[in-house]
Amino acid sequence: MPEGPEIWRTADALNDALQGKTISELYFAFEELKQHEPELKGMEIQKIEARGKAILTFFEDDRVMYSHNQLYGKWMVRANGAKPNTNRKLRVAIHNTDQSAYLYSATDIEMLSQEEVPAHSYIKKLGPDVLHPDTTYEDVIAQYRSDSFQNRKLTTLLLDQGFVSGIGNYLRSEIMFYAKVDPHKKLREYSDEEKEALAKATVKLTKRSYETGGITNDPSIVEALKREKAKRSEYRHFVYNRTDDRCHKCGQIIEEEKTGGRKIYFCPNCQQVD
């Protein structure tokens, strides 16, 4: 499933293609949305925003299309009405005179009013989104200090969209590594300094991933590895999906564990794992 940085980059691409432009054609696959096709044709799209792992498309009237990619959904943008070569099931198509945006395979699509957006069952439960322009570092560190989360295991908590939205499996392992914390503890077991390190890592690596197209590793390490002709998979992350490779920081072997049915990756030396 795409994580927050990927969803925000998708929203950027959709804004480039659709924002401020008049809809020339519109298609919805689901019968309950069909009524909106003729009503929205000829309107402009005001903006597209990411919310956690969902995308909101705001039309010039009061309507907002909520869509969640879930595991298999994917937006694709093409110029001049060209259609992607894919076997995926088309769910939504939005056309203007220059660009077309297609949503494939997603099953969670709804039409809301702007007033209904904050009360939506998914959106109302979201924690602060690091990439939202209104979110501050203080919002993030407040989550790490909140009594509501202290008895939660960190590895589970970081995947809870009600804690900090947009974090998924790769950011989880990368954040714990960058903060230099043992991943096996409950939040209350970390010191104030470690919680601050986690909050800073959450902000820094989420923004870095958004800005670089998914790279969380330090830029200096990335550039050095690129000069050595390393593959993207070798320089993209500190620890995620690098089992049995050497840590970029200390040379120790990266380890993996399964927790809650999903893997975490860590450096036992940098993260002081017993």
Side-chain angles (χ1 to χ4, degrees):
M1 181 185 292
E3 302 186 22
E6 288 72 40
I7 298 299
W8 276 92
R9 288 175 70 88
T10 295
D12 289 346
L14 292 172
N15 272 313
D16 288 344
L18 304 175
Q19 187 178 26
K21 298 178 182 178
T22 301
I23 299 168
S24 57
E25 294 291 340
L26 187 65
Y27 167 79
F28 293 113
F30 299 136
E31 195 61 38
E32 62 269 23
L33 298 175
K34 284 288 186 183
Q35 69 183 74
H36 299 285
E37 291 177 354
E39 295 170 356
L40 292 173
K41 183 177 177 180
M43 289 191 186
E44 287 187 3
I45 290 179
Q46 290 183 324
K47 60 182 177 179
I48 294 96
E49 289 186 355
R51 297 287 176 88
K53 297 182 181 180
I55 282 184
L56 299 176
T57 302
F58 290 80
F59 300 93
E60 71 173 81
D61 66 354
D62 187 50
R63 278 172 277 195
V64 182
M65 185 178 73
Y66 166 93
S67 61
H68 195 299
N69 284 12
Q70 299 170 301
L71 281 176
Y72 303 110
K74 186 173 184 179
W75 281 97
M76 301 183 191
V77 175
R78 296 292 185 272
N80 302 318
K83 199 168 181 179
N85 182 17
T86 177
N87 292 323
R88 293 170 176 264
K89 296 289 186 181
L90 181 62
R91 306 303 192 191
V92 178
I94 305 173
H95 306 274
N96 56 49
T97 55
D98 301 313
Q99 302 280 333
S100 297
Y102 303 91
L103 175 58
Y104 288 95
S105 303
T107 56
D108 194 359
I109 304 167
E110 302 174 51
M111 197 67 72
L112 310 170
S113 69
Q114 291 193 29
E115 189 177 73
E116 292 172 322
V117 170
H120 185 274
S121 58
Y122 173 79
I123 291 172
K124 70 181 181 180
K125 295 177 182 177
L126 291 175
D129 184 334
V130 170
L131 295 173
H132 194 282
D134 293 338
T135 300
T136 65
Y137 169 77
E138 285 70 27
D139 296 325
V140 178
I141 187 61
Q143 295 296 89
Y144 281 98
R145 291 171 176 163
S146 171
D147 292 341
S148 302
F149 303 112
Q150 297 307 309
N151 286 323
R152 299 279 302 278
K153 191 176 179 182
L154 182 62
T155 52
T156 304
L157 184 59
L158 286 174
L159 295 184
D160 183 347
Q161 299 303 293
F163 178 62
V164 177
S165 64
I167 296 176
N169 216 33
Y170 82 77
L171 277 174
R172 171 175 69 162
S173 289
E174 296 293 279
I175 287 166
M176 292 187 292
F177 171 84
Y178 198 80
K180 300 180 180 178
V181 299
D182 184 334
H184 300 102
K185 298 178 181 180
K186 292 183 177 180
L187 188 56
R188 60 178 166 78
E189 298 178 89
Y190 296 102
S191 67
D192 290 343
E193 290 75 15
E194 287 174 319
K195 289 175 184 176
E196 289 176 6
L198 282 162
K200 289 175 181 177
T202 300
V203 172
K204 189 177 188 70
L205 296 189
T206 302
K207 289 184 175 181
R208 178 182 287 175
S209 182
Y210 165 72
E211 292 165 356
T212 62
I215 298 171
T216 49
N217 205 346
D218 283 343
S220 59
I221 295 173
V222 172
E223 290 308 310
L225 289 170
K226 281 183 176 180
R227 288 194 294 270
E228 296 173 6
K229 308 300 182 184
K231 298 177 182 177
R232 178 180 167 85
S233 60
E234 295 171 329
Y235 64 70
R236 181 181 177 187
H237 298 306
F238 291 110
V239 292
Y240 179 75
N241 206 26
R242 297 191 60 241
T243 310
D244 296 332
D245 290 338
R246 293 195 176 277
C247 175
H248 295 308
K249 295 284 191 179
C250 73
Q252 183 84 340
I253 298 297
I254 302 299
E255 297 181 14
E256 70 172 54
E257 286 181 8
K258 186 168 280 191
T259 175
R262 302 177 73 179
K263 292 179 180 178
I264 60 167
Y265 303 83
F266 57 91
C267 171
N269 180 49
C270 290
Q271 296 173 252
Q272 302 176 33
V273 177
D274 294 332

